[in-house]
Amino acid sequence: MENEYFVGWGTLALINAGLAQGKNRSGLNWFFLSLFLGPFATLCLVIADKKAGS
């Protein structure tokens, strides 16, 4: 059961990195942040506005 937990957490971090890149944010930073915050990081990304950018 433990391995499934880590696989799910890692998958969530990858999904968050993709969400972040879609909002013109650093995917790598959000990937590492998601490893520590998990679903809370997803919530922050979903409610955050798209960053105006380059």
Side-chain angles (χ1 to χ4, degrees):
M1 187 77 152
E2 262 185 53
N3 286 340
E4 293 171 7
Y5 177 78
F6 288 118
V7 169
W9 205 266
T11 302
L12 181 63
L14 287 172
I15 291 169
N16 285 346
L19 280 171
Q21 286 182 339
K23 293 190 173 213
N24 295 329
R25 300 184 187 279
S26 170
L28 185 62
N29 288 343
W30 277 96
F31 173 79
F32 287 120
L33 190 63
S34 297
L35 287 177
F36 294 106
L37 300 179
F40 183 70
T42 307
L43 177 66
C44 292
L45 272 170
V46 169
I47 63 174
D49 290 333
K50 187 172 183 178
K51 187 176 180 182
S54 42

